[in-house]
Amino acid sequence: MLKGRITKALSGFYYVEAEGAIYETRARGLFRKTKESPLVGDIVTFQVENEDEGYIGEIHERKNALMRPPIANIDQVLIAMSMKSPEFSYYLLDRFLAYAEAHDIEPVIVITKTDLLEDDASLDEIASVYKPIYDIHFTDRDQINEDLQEIFRDKISVLAGQSGVGKSTLLNTLVPDLELNTAEISNALNRGKHTTRHVELVEIGGGLIADTPGFSTIEFTELDKYNLKFCFPDFNSFSEACKFRECQHINEPKCGVKQAVAEGELAASRYDSYLAIYQEIENRKARY
Ligand SMILES: Nc1nc2c(ncn2[C@@H]2O[C@H](COP(=O)(O)OP(=O)(O)OP(=O)(O)O)[C@@H](O)[C@H]2O)c(=O)[nH]1
Ligand SMILES: [Zn+2]
């Protein structure tokens, strides 16, 4: 038996990297019973059949998993948001962040196209909202922060962001030796709906990145509205002042979160995003 990581899934085969070699493996019937299927990113134990084939016997516990794109054990999601074309949106960024939180994935915010701005006022505002909570970086095509250089090392990353925010540009600027693979990666990033579902982890800057379009639109189909507040970590310290322990920070009196917004201690944009997503989850529930 060997232990390794699935780096690619294609047509019922799982390609597992173990001890410096790649094994083409299949999953045994065992998983059909439990309805559990292996995902790219999974750590698995497999039975070696010959020098490059095997059968997966066990999927090790995942720290997290996404279904679209189908990847497990993600260390971070790079959420790319441009300042212009497309226009920056607090709400959209908050959706991505809440989605990452809901899936236990560490978000890293990358704000792109800062060169298209006339002044830095909006950047300062964005920094003031997110710096206390998240890792946030500001970039433009010609200038990538030093602190982003090592961002991929020893991690499994996924990219997220709307079309056109500069995801492929960012990757190519960050990892110039990716040059050879540029066409490949941007193809992969652009592929979206057209080709069959094939996910692969590719090497980038000493780590691995999923060569999928990442996620560009998101739905909160699995999240319970009562759990949404836990996806806004900046609410935590203020919710200690809520009168009711189960406070949803909506209609309840003596709510510490609403008070913090009123006093300007918590960004109104964050609270508005929370309300909008909460409403969306509630409406979805009502439909069924
Ligand atoms: N001015 C400016 N333009 C940029 C910057 N980054 C990317 N662009 C331009 O924005 C456009 C879209 O960039 P891409 O890197 O293709 O964006 P993407 O997010 O990969 O887009 P999809 O492949 O559709 O998901 C291109 O014309 C880029 O040249 C930037 O920092 N500043
Ligand atoms: Zn409250």
Side-chain angles (χ1 to χ4, degrees):
M1 299 282 254
L2 277 181
K3 192 171 153 188
R5 187 187 296 282
I6 301 178
T7 55
K8 179 168 138 183
L10 186 63
S11 323
F13 289 105
Y14 302 94
Y15 295 84
V16 181
E17 203 175 316
E19 298 181 355
I22 303 275
Y23 292 84
E24 183 182 86
T25 69
R26 285 184 171 279
R28 278 205 192 277
L30 145 85
F31 301 117
R32 242 161 272 145
K33 258 181 251 152
T34 58
K35 294 251 161 57
E36 188 182 25
S37 56
L39 288 174
V40 168
D42 268 332
I43 301 288
V44 295
T45 300
F46 63 101
Q47 178 82 50
V48 179
E49 296 288 300
N50 57 46
E51 77 269 18
D52 60 1
E53 288 178 311
Y55 274 99
I56 296 177
E58 188 193 346
I59 303 172
H60 293 258
E61 200 183 331
R62 294 170 180 152
K63 76 169 181 185
N64 57 36
L66 284 177
M67 286 307 141
R68 274 195 322 173
I71 303 173
N73 299 317
I74 301 158
D75 293 307
Q76 62 184 359
V77 52
L78 268 60
I79 302 172
M81 289 287 290
S82 52
M83 288 310 299
K84 294 236 175 258
S85 60
E87 193 78 19
F88 179 83
S89 155
Y90 281 98
Y91 177 54
L92 193 59
L93 177 53
D94 290 338
R95 286 183 71 92
F96 279 119
L97 291 167
Y99 190 79
E101 294 283 354
H103 288 87
D104 277 324
I105 305 170
E106 178 129 350
V108 175
I109 305 168
V110 182
I111 305 290
T112 63
K113 307 198 193 183
T114 55
D115 55 302
L116 298 180
L117 292 174
E118 269 121 57
D119 64 77
D120 288 350
S122 48
L123 297 184
D124 294 343
E125 198 184 308
I126 291 168
S128 76
V129 174
Y130 296 102
K131 261 221 172 100
I133 346 171
Y134 294 114
D135 198 6
I136 180 166
H137 304 269
F138 295 89
T139 69
D140 63 56
R141 191 174 21 207
D142 306 315
Q143 191 192 324
I144 299 286
N145 295 0
E146 296 258 309
D147 51 348
L148 271 178
Q149 297 293 347
E150 290 291 298
I151 195 108
F152 297 113
R153 191 163 301 282
D154 298 329
K155 291 194 168 145
I156 294 185
S157 305
V158 172
L159 265 179
Q162 284 173 287
S163 175
V165 294
K167 296 185 295 295
S168 343
T169 306
L170 180 71
L171 288 191
N172 290 323
T173 319
L174 276 177
V175 190
D177 63 348
L178 206 66
E179 212 93 74
L180 275 179
N181 290 322
T182 296
E184 214 175 292
I185 294 239
S186 56
N187 262 339
L189 287 168
N190 283 312
R191 192 170 47 212
K193 325 102 215 172
H194 311 302
T195 47
T196 49
R197 242 168 48 149
H198 148 233
V199 182
E200 186 168 356
L201 291 172
V202 296
E203 283 179 24
I204 185 170
L208 295 169
I209 190 164
D211 80 331
T212 73
F215 44 101
S216 56
T217 53
I218 47 185
E219 286 173 61
F220 291 89
T221 46
E222 287 143 50
L223 189 65
D224 190 302
K225 68 179 178 185
Y226 298 111
N227 286 327
L228 180 63
K229 57 177 180 289
F230 303 119
C231 300
F232 285 74
D234 42 341
F235 289 14
N236 282 351
S237 63
F238 301 113
S239 65
E240 282 163 22
C242 295
K243 181 169 185 225
F244 299 100
R245 218 165 62 89
E246 299 298 316
C247 189
Q248 300 302 312
H249 323 311
I250 311 254
N251 296 314
E252 298 91 339
K254 302 217 165 92
C255 168
V257 171
K258 282 193 284 183
Q259 192 184 337
V261 175
E263 289 170 359
E265 287 184 65
L266 182 63
S269 61
R270 291 282 292 162
Y271 184 66
D272 291 344
S273 297
Y274 171 73
L275 280 187
I277 300 171
Y278 189 93
Q279 200 65 58
E280 175 184 319
I281 296 175
E282 201 161 51
N283 291 345
R284 178 244 304 165
K285 281 274 152 63
R287 249 184 286 133
Y288 298 108

